[in-house]
Amino acid sequence: MRKIVAIVFLAIIGFYIISIFSAFQFGDKYKGVSEHYVKEGIIENRGANLVTSIVVNYRGFDTLGEVTVLFLAATGLSFLLFSCKCEREFKRIKSSLVLRTATDTLFPMILLFGAYIFIHGHLTPGGGFQGGSVIASGVMLLFLSFRSFHPNHKTLSTIEVLAGISFAGIGLLGLVYAKSFLANSVLPLGQWNRLISAGVIPLIYIAVGLKVGAELSGLISDMISTTKED
Amino acid sequence: MIFFGASLLLILIGLYGALVKRNLIKIIIGLSIMDTGINMLIISLGFVKGGTAPIISLKSLFQKNSLLVDVSKIVDPLPQALVLTAIVIGVAVTAMALSVVIRMYSVKKSIEIDDFKELKW
């Protein structure tokens, strides 16, 4: 009965989605604001990756809000998990020798790769969020292989706070030296397709990468610490 | 067009999982699948025939003797930027939902949704 009702419901929703998009021509040219971003994005920002230009500069305020949402989710999660004195019943199992040896060699490389991704965010696919996630996956590997691993929460929150402040501070510098919040005319734009170019975009993405990495590591640590201590 | 069909299928599969399954973790997995489908749908809206990724790393993408980019060779970057935001928010929401599940489990020792009847009337 429940499945039949669900399928009828899905059929209705599917019908409406199809009828909305049946008028849309996939694969056509675009106009308006996207055209401006593509055509003059290099002149205005010098960042080779146009998605980064949009995320950090044209829609930089949106990204600040996004970072705030992530922060709120991490805070809410630790509030939910630690506001009760529930008994902890799951135990972390001991990891194998293979995993521990692999972690020893892989962890520094994963950190380096994450840093590479967010430093080159304006040149190659990638950016702050992706690099931060890669760093957090390295921290998760540490959690999986060492049973008694505890990150220093003070350090994590210090990195988070400093990165957040520098993001907002770069935005305010734009307000002081140019005309708008997060304006990209504080630093010289430089040449196209070079590492040091695109004004403040790499700086903001480094801040975002550090913040996301610290935040997601803290989130993983919060979730894992609901297990029993030895 | 094939992207549209696939993303529609993903959305419907995810919604079906969220509606029919009784295990809370499976419901969250369904919502995540739906999230992926919606992201794919938004990206496929920006597709341009014969276009390449919106990363201008070749000189041949410029119009002659200027830094103006040839629009017809590049896929629309705006939906991709929006989806980047959506993915991060999706991760945050999933983590939040999982922590709610951990809390619910610690109250009733069960993650079957049929065991939580307090809000039924």
Side-chain angles (χ1 to χ4, degrees), chain A residues 140-204:
Chain A
M140 187 159 170
L141 195 59
L142 280 188
F143 272 115
L144 288 179
S145 45
F146 301 110
R147 251 205 301 188
S148 55
F149 175 68
H150 278 291
N152 190 346
H153 271 273
K154 272 235 170 84
T155 321
L156 282 182
S157 53
T158 314
I159 293 173
E160 212 180 301
V161 165
L162 283 180
I165 287 175
S166 54
F167 189 173
I170 291 169
L172 287 177
L173 277 183
L175 204 56
V176 173
Y177 290 105
K179 278 188 178 157
S180 64
F181 187 68
L182 281 167
N184 193 6
S185 42
V186 181
L187 290 174
L189 288 179
Q191 274 193 310
W192 159 72
N193 220 355
R194 293 281 152 80
L195 179 58
I196 299 177
S197 64
V200 295
I201 287 177
L203 294 182
I204 292 178

Side-chain angles (χ1 to χ4, degrees), chain A residues 26-196:
Chain A
F26 283 88
D28 261 13
K29 280 184 188 168
Y30 44 89
K31 282 179 190 149
V33 70
S34 310
E35 193 185 1
H36 173 83
Y37 288 161
V38 172
K39 211 173 182 182
E40 297 173 29
I42 296 282
I43 294 177
E44 288 175 356
N45 281 317
R46 297 289 151 77
N49 187 347
L50 289 173
V51 177
T52 304
S53 297
I54 292 174
V55 167
V56 180
N57 190 20
Y58 295 116
R59 299 183 160 266
F61 202 58
D62 194 19
T63 307
L64 192 59
E66 183 187 355
V67 170
T68 317
V69 169
L70 203 59
F71 171 72
L72 276 179
T75 319
L77 188 140
S78 54
F79 171 74
L80 268 176
L81 290 182
F82 295 112
S83 61
C84 78
K85 292 268 181 288
C86 321
E87 53 180 295
R88 301 170 171 183
E89 43 196 317
F90 297 110
K91 242 181 167 177
R92 283 157 83 175
I93 51 169
K94 204 158 187 263
S95 61
S96 65
L97 178 69
V98 178
L99 187 58
R100 268 175 287 152
T101 319
T103 305
D104 281 341
T105 46
L106 275 181
F107 178 65
M109 288 186 218
I110 290 176
L111 280 194
L112 195 68
F113 183 56
Y116 166 80
I117 286 180
F118 65 67
I119 289 171
H120 287 73
H122 58 299
L123 300 176
T124 54
F129 295 102
Q130 295 88 327
S133 313
V134 169
I135 288 179
S137 73
V139 175
M140 187 159 170
L141 195 59
L142 280 188
F143 272 115
L144 288 179
S145 45
F146 301 110
R147 251 205 301 188
S148 55
F149 175 68
H150 278 291
N152 190 346
H153 271 273
K154 272 235 170 84
T155 321
L156 282 182
S157 53
T158 314
I159 293 173
E160 212 180 301
V161 165
L162 283 180
I165 287 175
S166 54
F167 189 173
I170 291 169
L172 287 177
L173 277 183
L175 204 56
V176 173
Y177 290 105
K179 278 188 178 157
S180 64
F181 187 68
L182 281 167
N184 193 6
S185 42
V186 181
L187 290 174
L189 288 179
Q191 274 193 310
W192 159 72
N193 220 355
R194 293 281 152 80
L195 179 58
I196 299 177

